[in-house]
């Protein structure tokens, strides 16, 4: 499987923010968000071919309970079934981060779904139509939220995007507000803080959660942090 990077850091977003974690980042994605903060796994995928065994050796050497499988789109990678089964059997806490458009029967203590709204489409790109066609897969979302403990993380670019989140959630009435996190589309601290101010008002009025992006706050979206 193509792996972009493995690194030890802290979880920057969502329920486990601040928790020391080892990140395994797969390379390759079926979407092309214009704001993708890991273009080296989507627009221009790079990495190294790795075996499940070599990844387990590398990950376990950190002696860290929490492991985050991220991407790219990790659910495209069939070997993750075996990788997550073996890591779970070894007692690790596993978070799988996905856009929720591809289904795969992985092991996960937390399925961290980041649905892609209309605000993610790369307008003017040859990818725009393909991206739009693929970005919302309700059957996959229904399966993931039925079978896993989960959170939903929405990337918000402008205040108008909140209406899109409401429409999205209308399709899944089983989702309760405390599972919904909004986070600002921002790759530097100043923009993150500016957007988080009006985002705070939006989450207050809906009972949702505001997610920090601690890695951006601390390191400004530097690769491998
Ligand atoms: S789904 Fe994630 S990895 Fe894929 S293009 Fe969008 S932001 Fe990037």
């Amino acid at each position: 499987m193509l792996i972009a990077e493995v690194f030890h850091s802290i979880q920057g977003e969502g329920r486990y923010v601040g928790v020391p974690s080892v990140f395994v980042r797969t390379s390759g994605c079926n979407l092309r968000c214009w704001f993708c903060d890991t273009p080296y796994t989507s627009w221009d995928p790079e990495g190294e071919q790795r075996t499940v065994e070599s990844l387990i050796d590398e990950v376990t050497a950190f002696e860290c309970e929490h492991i985050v499988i991220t991407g790219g789109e990790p659910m495209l990678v069939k070997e993750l079934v075996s990788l997550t089964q073996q890591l779970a059997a070894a007692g690790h806490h596993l978070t799988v981060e996905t856009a929720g458009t591809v289904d795969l029967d992985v092991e996960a203590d937390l399925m961290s779904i980041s649905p892609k709204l209309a605000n993610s489409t790369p307008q003017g790109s040859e990818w725009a139509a393909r991206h739009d066609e693929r970005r919302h897969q309700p059957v996959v979302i229904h399966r993931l939220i039925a079978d896993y403990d989960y959170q939903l993380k929405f990337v918000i670019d402008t205040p108008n995007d909140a209406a899109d989140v409401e429409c999205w959630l209308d399709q899944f009435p089983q989702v309760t507000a405390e599972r919904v996190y909004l986070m600002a589309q921002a790759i530097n601290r100043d923009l993150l803080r500016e957007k988080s101010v009006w985002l705070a008002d939006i989450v207050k009025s809906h009972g949702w959660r505001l997610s920090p992006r601690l890695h951006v706050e601390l390191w400004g979206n530097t690769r491998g942090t």
Side-chain angles (χ1 to χ4, degrees), residues 115-192:
K116 297 302 180 256
L117 304 173
N119 69 2
S120 64
T121 302
Q123 301 295 349
S125 154
E126 59 178 15
W127 264 91
R130 230 181 315 171
H131 177 94
D132 250 350
E133 191 177 289
R134 294 174 174 178
R135 68 178 173 78
H136 184 47
Q137 301 296 330
V139 173
V140 177
I141 299 288
H142 274 295
R143 208 289 282 184
L144 297 180
I145 66 181
D147 290 353
Y148 294 95
D149 187 8
Y150 68 93
Q151 65 184 8
L152 294 163
K153 295 188 303 181
F154 291 91
V155 176
I156 303 297
D157 192 34
T158 72
N160 293 338
D161 295 340
D164 264 7
V165 176
E166 287 175 22
C167 287
W168 193 98
L169 289 170
D170 283 346
Q171 299 168 68
F172 305 99
Q174 65 272 53
V175 173
T176 48
E178 78 277 3
R179 292 184 184 271
V180 178
Y181 293 80
L182 265 50
M183 53 192 194
Q185 189 292 110
I187 55 171
N188 65 62
R189 294 179 191 99
D190 289 345
L191 200 54
L192 182 66

Side-chain angles (χ1 to χ4, degrees), residues 29 31-33 35-38 41-42 71-73 99 116:
C29 188
L31 302 180
R32 292 293 185 276
C33 306
F35 53 64
C36 183
D37 56 2
T38 56
T41 69
S42 56
E73 177 48 79
K116 297 302 180 256

Side-chain angles (χ1 to χ4, degrees), residues 12-60:
E13 301 170 350
R15 188 190 301 176
Y16 292 108
V17 71
V19 176
S21 305
V22 174
F23 291 77
V24 177
R25 189 184 301 286
T26 64
S27 193
C29 188
N30 57 330
L31 302 180
R32 292 293 185 276
C33 306
W34 69 266
F35 53 64
C36 183
D37 56 2
T38 56
Y40 52 93
T41 69
S42 56
W43 289 95
D44 190 15
E46 55 185 73
E48 195 184 332
Q49 288 294 341
R50 299 285 302 267
T51 63
V52 169
E53 292 68 31
S54 81
L55 278 176
I56 288 175
D57 287 346
E58 183 172 357
V59 163
T60 52

Side-chain angles (χ1 to χ4, degrees), residues 57-98:
D57 287 346
E58 183 172 357
V59 163
T60 52
F62 289 104
E63 299 185 354
C64 182
E65 181 192 358
H66 280 249
I67 296 174
V68 180
I69 311 288
T70 187
E73 177 48 79
M75 300 289 260
L76 291 169
V77 182
K78 303 280 181 280
E79 294 96 324
L80 278 193
V81 175
S82 169
L83 178 69
T84 55
Q85 282 172 349
Q86 293 186 57
L87 291 172
H92 290 283
H93 180 285
L94 294 177
T95 298
V96 173
E97 298 191 331
T98 176

